[in-house]
Structures are given as C-alpha cells and as structure tokens.
Amino acid sequence: MPELPEVEALAGFLDGRLAGRTVGAATAVSFQALKTYDPPLSALVGRGFEGVGRHGKFLDLRLDGDLHLVVHLARAGWIRWRDELPSEPPRPGKGPLALRVRLGDDAGSGAGSGLPGFDVTEAGTQKRLAIYVVRDPMQVPGIASLGIDPLSAAFTVDALAGLLKDERRLIKGVLRDQGVIAGIGNAYSDEILHAARMSPYKTASKLTADEVAALHDIAVSTLTEAVERSRGLPLSELKGEKKSGLRVHGRKGEACPVCGDTIREVSFSDSALQYCPTCQTGGKILADRRLSRLLK
C-alpha cells in the first residue's frame, strides 16, 4: 500500500508535470471507484491545475474554480504517467485501469494522439481505490477524520505524548490508525518500531517520556528519509525504492540488518507485521494472531 512517503513523491512528480496545463478529458473506467457525482467528473474538463498536494495517504489535485480531484490509492492502486496517451478513449473492462486523465492541448500541437496524461490503476480483485471530485477536500470523509500529519510542525513530542497518554491499544495499531496519525501504514509502522527497538505489542499508554521522545524522533526521521529517497524518482521506480529501503517489513526469514537475528512475522486476518526478536522483544517470539482483530 502506498504510504506517506510514496504519496508525497507522487504529489511532487505530478505537480512538476501538471503546472500550467489543463484537463482535456477525464474518463472513468471503473465506476465503482468514483465515489462522488456532484460535481461530475466532466466538470474538470478545461480547468487548469493549480497544484498537487497530500492529506495523509490521499492525493489532492487542485484545479481552478475550487475543484479538487482526490485519489486514495488503497492497497493496490497506483498512478502511471504517460507522455503519449492513446487517442481512442478507454473502454470499461476487467483490467486495472480506473481513471484516465488526458491533458489539454495547451501547447497548440494539435488534438488527438501525442497528448500526455496519467492513468489511475488498481491491481488485484479487491477494488478499494477511491476517487472523488469535490469543492473542498474536507468533503471526503477519510480526509475529514484524519489525525495529525507526522511531517507537520504540529507533530511535536508533546503532541505525540498527548495522543498516547490514554491509549490502551497496542502501539502498532495506534501508529497506523489514520485518525490518530495520518499517513503511516503497515510498512512504515514496522520500520519505525524496529528503529525504536520497541515491541509492536507494547501498550501505547505505557510508554515512558523518554520512549515517547525517541519514538517521535525516529518516526519523523524515518519518514523524512523515505521521502528524500523517493524524491525525483520516476513513478515506475518508486515501488522498488520503497521495498529496497525497508529493513524489516516484508523481510520475514531474512537476517536483521542491526543484530543478525532472523526477522519474524505475526499474521493477522488481513495483514502481517514483521519484527526482530532481539532488537524489539528481548528475544521473545510473538504468538501468531491470525484471528485477532487488534490491528484491523
């Protein structure tokens, strides 16, 4: 699933290519992905892009006339930039394409083929991609309920301490709860907890002041470094860069890069976490929780 660093990189990539351009056409291929109907998707046509930003894991493409094209890529969504889109409109089908946005002929090079744009795609059979056309991003329920952004100036040690002081949930679940901290998912919560040498099963409210301070600094540095590694990369390389930069997540059975112990996994009903016993749990092997609902 694309998380904060990848969505930040996607926003930067698109912002540099959409500046000064207009929407020539916007075609929904997967109608179940389109979650709004007023304004209609057709309202985007002819409008100029004013910038691309991010709200947690949501991508926000701002257009003149106070319109926003908001995309949540869910678990298997992605953005594919194309310097030349096919001239014929896409047809609805069973493929991964959900939305195609063709840029207008702002350079006066003639209509038809040869115009750039981007596709929004979703692999797999679990279709959770969400696309919204709104006048205010806060009209998107998932954005309105977002917690604090961990790369914002408001995310201080004191702010994190306030969020955790009454939390009886496991720290792993709190970190990936978008209503508490926006943008951290399964992968980067594993990475942050490994770097903090903290068990994913530690109760959030039981963290000491020193542990909270360390967790804050590691969360910010981990995400910042991931953003910097991704900045400027072609979209086709972002997924590979994320995977290569992860030290424990997705590396079950490999050696921990810090201590050499074997990285272990705990499976849940719809996800899995990875951790190092030596670095994080005092050598204890955590029990499998495949039927647990703790981290849903």
Side-chain angles (χ1 to χ4, degrees), residues 245-256:
L246 298 175
R247 303 198 298 176
V248 292
H249 183 79
R251 299 192 179 279
K252 174 186 176 182
E254 298 181 21
C256 171

Side-chain angles (χ1 to χ4, degrees), residues 247-270:
R247 303 198 298 176
V248 292
H249 183 79
R251 299 192 179 279
K252 174 186 176 182
E254 298 181 21
C256 171
V258 175
C259 72
D261 194 0
T262 301
I263 294 171
R264 306 286 182 140
E265 178 176 284
V266 178
S267 296
F268 294 85
S269 59
D270 62 351

Side-chain angles (χ1 to χ4, degrees), residues 189-210:
S189 58
D190 279 354
E191 296 299 298
I192 291 166
L193 291 172
H194 177 257
R197 304 181 71 87
M198 184 177 295
S199 170
Y201 282 7
K202 191 174 183 68
T203 302
S205 61
K206 293 183 178 179
L207 268 64
T208 66
D210 287 345

